Amino acid sequence: MKLANKKMAVLTAASLVISSAVATGAISSANAATKVLNFYHDKNGWDVRFNAVSVGLKDGIGVTLKPSTYADTTLYQNTLNQATKTGKGPDLLTWWSGYRMVDGAKGGMFADISDVWRDAIAKGDVSKDLQKQFMVGNKTYAIPNGVSYWPMFYNKKKFAEWGLKVPTTWAEFEAVCAAIKAKGVTPLTASVDGAWPSFIWFEQLLISQDPKLYLDLTSNKIKYTDPKVVEVFNIWKGMIDKGWFTPGDTSFFGEEAVKLINKGTMIPVGTWNNSAFSDTGGLVGGKDYDAFVIPNINPALKTQSIIVEAGAIGALAKGKNLATSKKALREWLKFPVQAIWADASGDGVPNPKVPVADPVIKGLSKYVATNKVNQIQRYWESGPVPLIEGGVVILGAFMLGNKTVAQTTTELAALADKEWAAWTKKYGK
Amino acid sequence: MSQKQRVGVTTYLFFIPAILCVLAILLYPVGKTIYLSFTDSEGLLPPVFIGFDNYQNFINDPVLRATLTNVLIWTIATLVLPVFIGLLIANVVSGVKGSAVYRMIFLLPYVLSGVAVGALWFNIFETEGLLNSFLVSVGLESWVNSWLLYYPQNTLSMIIAATWASTGLVVVLFTVGIQNVPLQTVEAATLDGANSWVLFWKIIWPQLKYIRAVVIGTALANSLRTFDIVWVMTGGGPSRTSETLAVTMYREAFLLNRYGYGSAIAVFLMILVTTISILALRGGLKKEATL
């Protein structure tokens, strides 16, 4: 019995040692032998796009991507927080630009890739203006994961059927909404589903009223209780009261987006959703549907403004293949890969040398360039995370009629005071 | 050392892997959570000890009142509804021909994950969902509502979903309890002229004491830490109106990366669940023991 116990103990210990040694060895040899980069992202359904990029990277530098999708963004963020400490997990990862990068940059999540940007700018592969969205201090931590405008998508055939034209003034825009409503169709999407979409109309109405107002508000130069901000809320409230918005639990992605636009509802959303209409819905861009820049509310403004979103792709600072990861990011910004991305995503790309093929994006890009439309960073990336996350909750309550304009602006102002103070205490101004 | 002692030592050595597993998997996370609750941990930067600040902030958090109210509603509703409905169904199907099939049908929703249940019922309750479509089809347009967008109807809608999912297990447990009631006792009571009502309250109900304690204890613990269905169906919203303690904890810790604050809520939740569960189990068993 004693001997049997001893034997079992030895066998157990030996098997543990052997299995851990085998596992460690397997991981080490896999890292040494391959040029495959683990690529983590939370963009559902985008593996096709990333696999296409992988082919481009393989052709260019002999490196491929192994994409892993996280369906839940919260889980994704926390997985990467852990990976930041251990260095295990991804080599490359998607993230968000602006304020949402700061914690990761300060906390050691992202590798400094300032040299990648320096070279790309020198070769004309990317603009210096865009770089600012990926900088924390004087270092740059990510490349753009496409460049998406936030226009208004609309059903071109329905517009023709109903005798409507693309609005160029706010009065025309209101007339279009009223006409669609009269046809028994809800004219505009709005949603609080998942909380975040509540900022869409908030930012849009602010930049349509006065882009400087939006920039001052998001940089904490003015308060949410400022009379000009209150005025925008009143305009928004008027639109809500007219029944122009879809119910708060409306989803406007994928097939849901197709259903909405087929009915004739207009959808203000990033051009990353363009493929939902063309690929998922089988609609022909420029013929069945199109997009326009939402007109200014204030007729005194000389130029229009549009929200621009640039997602981020960074390299894990403690990643085991950091040199290869930086090489891949460098290649990612070059023409061949950018052209692949433009084709696969049906969206805009940061490299100006890449011709835009998609008719909707092409038309929009041309309009933005010709009319010198102001390109403004999205609200989601324009402030400390707790302020934005708390802000969308309050905005959602306003949208559902649970808070008045005065309550909403007062609560937002109090939240901004608290979170900007916390931010300043943490990182300075 | 005698042979007996050596055997004893060897025996204890075999406990070590199991003890290490318990320490690593169960106790370490609890200890780490308690430690983090006294820090300002935000995940990436080293945590700084801040004493009871997180607990103080939690007590002063304006969301706390709404959250605790929701927990109370969930606890009462998910205790009363599944237990009552489960007991009713168990009583009705027991002894009926093909009762095993009925039990299986009622148990089916229980095997679904909370996420699947949430997704399923979201499609029913959303504004453009099945329930409203049905109401329109039967001419009840005036009843059409945005069920998940307003409080407290959103919480009540989710409780219906949770009841649907959890009643099956209660049916099975109570059925087992009812089947274990000695047939002779039932027959004797019947011969003495006991009607169905008397039979149930005087004979069956007292003999379900242990099963009842388990059912109530489980239902209490589950309701106090309700998370998945709420997270999937409303995310705790709109405007945080349908948050439960577990959702608040998740939001703070994982959405806002306030691990320290989230840990404080987790510790509070752990104490609450443990205390109420112990009290409920002890109270239930003690009460029955005197019968």
Side-chain angles (χ1 to χ4, degrees):
Chain A
M1 182 70 186
K2 196 174 104 182
L3 190 62
N5 281 348
K6 273 188 178 176
K7 275 183 178 174
M8 277 182 71
V10 170
L11 277 172
T12 307
S15 66
L16 283 170
V17 170
I18 290 165
S19 55
S20 63
V22 167
T24 313
I27 291 164
S28 304
S29 79
N31 283 337
T34 185
K35 283 189 178 178
V36 177
L37 294 176
N38 287 320
F39 178 57
Y40 284 19
H41 68 91
D42 68 327
K43 318 296 178 197
N44 286 316
W46 282 28
D47 271 3
V48 177
R49 303 179 187 189
F50 294 127
N51 284 328
V53 167
S54 180
V55 173
L57 291 176
K58 191 180 179 186
D59 289 346
I61 55 172
V63 169
T64 58
L65 300 178
K66 186 184 170 191
S68 298
T69 314
Y70 279 72
D72 184 85
T73 300
T74 311
L75 174 66
Y76 175 70
Q77 291 176 349
N78 285 278
T79 302
L80 291 183
N81 281 346
Q82 293 306 315
T84 300
K85 293 174 188 169
T86 62
K88 291 177 183 171
D91 296 300
L92 297 172
L93 56 112
T94 63
W95 202 254
W96 298 265
S97 54
Y99 277 82
R100 292 196 173 245
M101 284 194 72
V102 177
D103 280 344
K106 301 267 186 187
M109 181 183 288
F110 308 110
D112 176 10
I113 57 162
S114 301
D115 54 335
V116 171
W117 273 86
R118 188 188 59 230
D119 298 345
I121 290 169
K123 289 174 185 167
D125 286 339
V126 67
S127 77
K128 198 168 175 57
D129 282 347
L130 194 58
Q131 185 182 15
K132 290 173 195 162
Q133 293 200 27
F134 304 93
M135 292 181 76
V136 177
N138 56 2
K139 292 179 181 172
T140 316
Y141 291 96
I143 65 166
N145 177 17
V147 177
S148 301
Y149 294 118
W150 278 67
M152 182 71 82
F153 285 91
Y154 70 102
N155 186 320
K156 209 167 177 177
K157 283 187 172 172
K158 287 282 183 191
F159 261 47
E161 183 187 326
W162 293 335
L164 301 173
K165 287 182 181 172
V166 169
T168 55
T169 65
W170 190 252
E172 287 178 7
F173 177 72
E174 288 186 311
V176 164
C177 291
I180 295 174
K181 180 77 180 170
K183 296 287 179 188
V185 174
T186 309
L188 302 163
T189 57
S191 182
V192 299
D193 186 26
W196 72 267
S198 64
F199 74 74
I200 295 173
W201 277 103
F202 175 61
E203 66 179 9
Q204 183 57 53
L205 294 174
L206 276 169
I207 65 166
S208 291
Q209 173 76 342
D210 182 1
K212 187 175 180 302
L213 184 70
Y214 171 80
L215 295 173
D216 286 348
L217 185 67
T218 51
S219 55
N220 199 30
K221 288 180 184 164
I222 59 167
K223 290 192 177 294
Y224 282 79
T225 46
D226 187 285
K228 288 180 182 173
V229 178
V230 173
E231 190 185 342
V232 170
F233 271 99
N234 283 325
I235 293 168
W236 192 3
K237 179 76 168 59
M239 296 168 74
I240 294 169
D241 290 345
K242 285 172 187 164
W244 285 357
F245 295 118
T246 51
D249 50 1
T250 300
S251 170
F252 50 97
F253 311 110
E255 289 177 3
E256 302 299 328
V258 177
K259 283 182 198 166
L260 286 162
I261 207 152
N262 278 339
K263 283 183 193 170
T265 299
M266 298 188 285
I267 307 175
V269 71
T271 47
W272 41 258
N273 212 26
N274 184 37
S275 61
F277 307 118
S278 56
D279 297 346
T280 310
L283 302 174
V284 179
K287 186 181 164 196
D288 297 327
Y289 76 100
D290 214 328
F292 62 84
V293 178
I294 299 166
N296 289 330
I297 298 171
N298 180 2
L301 293 174
K302 289 179 182 169
T303 54
Q304 283 176 271
S305 300
I306 192 166
I307 294 292
V308 177
E309 173 192 356
I313 300 173
L316 190 70
K318 283 188 182 173
K320 291 183 176 61
N321 303 302
L322 184 56
T324 313
S325 297
K326 287 179 74 172
K327 200 174 159 188
L329 292 178
R330 194 180 292 275
E331 186 68 16
W332 200 311
L333 289 173
K334 291 179 183 172
F335 180 89
V337 177
Q338 289 288 295
I340 290 171
W341 181 259
D343 186 46
S345 67
D347 198 0
V349 292
N351 191 323
K353 297 173 194 167
V354 176
V356 181
D358 183 275
V360 175
I361 308 299
K362 189 176 181 179
L364 196 61
S365 303
K366 190 179 172 189
Y367 184 92
V368 169
T370 309
N371 295 282
K372 295 189 169 65
V373 175
N374 289 319
Q375 299 181 41
I376 295 177
Q377 190 181 34
R378 200 165 65 142
Y379 182 72
W380 193 244
E381 287 88 11
S382 298
V385 174
L387 169 58
I388 303 299
E389 295 280 0
V392 295
V393 167
I394 298 169
L395 291 171
F398 168 74
M399 287 171 68
L400 295 173
N402 294 334
K403 289 187 195 299
T404 63
V405 170
Q407 286 171 329
T408 306
T409 51
T410 305
E411 285 186 26
L412 283 167
L415 179 69
D417 287 345
K418 179 185 161 198
E419 296 302 346
W420 277 114
W423 180 267
T424 307
K425 187 181 171 189
K426 194 172 167 187
Y427 293 128
K429 288 206 170 180
Chain B
M1 189 182 282
S2 70
Q3 188 179 352
K4 193 177 176 184
Q5 282 173 322
R6 280 198 296 272
V7 170
V9 169
T10 311
T11 306
Y12 281 111
L13 279 176
F14 278 103
F15 289 157
I16 290 175
I19 291 169
L20 287 177
C21 282
V22 170
L23 285 173
I25 297 169
L26 296 178
L27 297 183
Y28 173 75
V30 172
K32 183 76 184 282
T33 304
I34 293 170
Y35 160 71
L36 285 176
S37 73
F38 294 105
T39 72
D40 68 348
S41 172
E42 292 188 346
L44 293 175
L45 300 171
V48 175
F49 184 78
I50 56 168
F52 284 90
D53 283 6
N54 286 326
Y55 291 94
Q56 197 175 345
N57 291 338
F58 179 53
I59 289 165
N60 295 326
D61 194 331
V63 173
L64 177 64
R65 192 174 160 186
T67 301
L68 287 179
T69 306
N70 283 333
V71 169
L72 189 65
I73 294 171
W74 269 96
T75 305
I76 294 170
T78 56
L79 191 64
V80 172
L81 291 177
V83 172
F84 176 74
I85 297 170
L87 186 58
L88 188 70
I89 294 170
N91 210 33
V92 170
V93 301
S94 286
V96 173
K97 196 178 177 184
S99 64
V101 177
Y102 290 122
R103 281 203 303 277
M104 190 60 73
I105 291 169
F106 286 117
L107 189 62
L108 274 177
Y110 180 74
V111 302
L112 295 175
S113 71
V115 173
V117 171
L120 180 71
W121 282 87
F122 177 82
N123 285 321
I124 292 171
F125 281 123
E126 66 175 322
T127 309
E128 306 284 339
L130 295 173
L131 177 58
N132 282 343
S133 299
F134 171 75
L135 291 173
V136 170
S137 69
V138 296
L140 294 171
E141 286 92 345
S142 59
W143 289 22
V144 167
N145 208 323
S146 290
W147 303 101
L148 299 175
L149 291 181
Y150 298 96
Y151 183 81
Q153 67 194 39
N154 49 7
T155 292
L156 298 177
S157 301
M158 290 186 288
I159 284 170
I160 291 172
T163 302
W164 177 80
S166 60
T167 302
L169 180 67
V170 179
V171 171
V172 170
L173 289 172
F174 275 137
T175 306
V176 170
I178 290 169
Q179 284 174 343
N180 283 334
V181 175
L183 201 59
Q184 298 89 330
T185 319
V186 178
E187 284 172 353
T190 311
L191 286 172
D192 285 344
N195 59 25
S196 303
W197 185 252
V198 172
L199 198 64
F200 177 77
W201 280 115
K202 298 291 183 186
I203 306 297
I204 297 174
W205 179 251
Q207 299 206 47
L208 293 176
K209 55 187 176 185
Y210 294 116
I211 293 285
R212 212 165 57 231
V214 170
V215 167
I216 291 172
T218 312
L220 263 176
N222 286 340
S223 60
L224 286 168
R225 54 195 175 89
T226 298
F227 173 75
D228 40 15
I229 287 179
V230 177
W231 189 250
V232 172
M233 290 182 72
T234 66
S239 316
R240 306 187 69 182
T241 52
S242 61
E243 276 188 18
T244 58
L245 267 175
V247 172
T248 306
M249 180 270 290
Y250 188 80
R251 176 186 161 81
E252 293 294 341
F254 300 114
L255 191 68
L256 300 177
N257 287 342
R258 289 171 168 163
Y259 293 100
Y261 189 49
S263 297
I265 302 172
V267 171
F268 177 80
L269 181 60
M270 182 176 68
I271 293 169
L272 188 72
V273 172
T274 310
T275 308
I276 292 180
S277 298
I278 289 172
L279 287 175
L281 283 171
R282 285 181 63 185
L285 293 173
K286 188 179 172 186
K287 190 178 166 189
E288 297 306 327
T290 59
L291 284 170

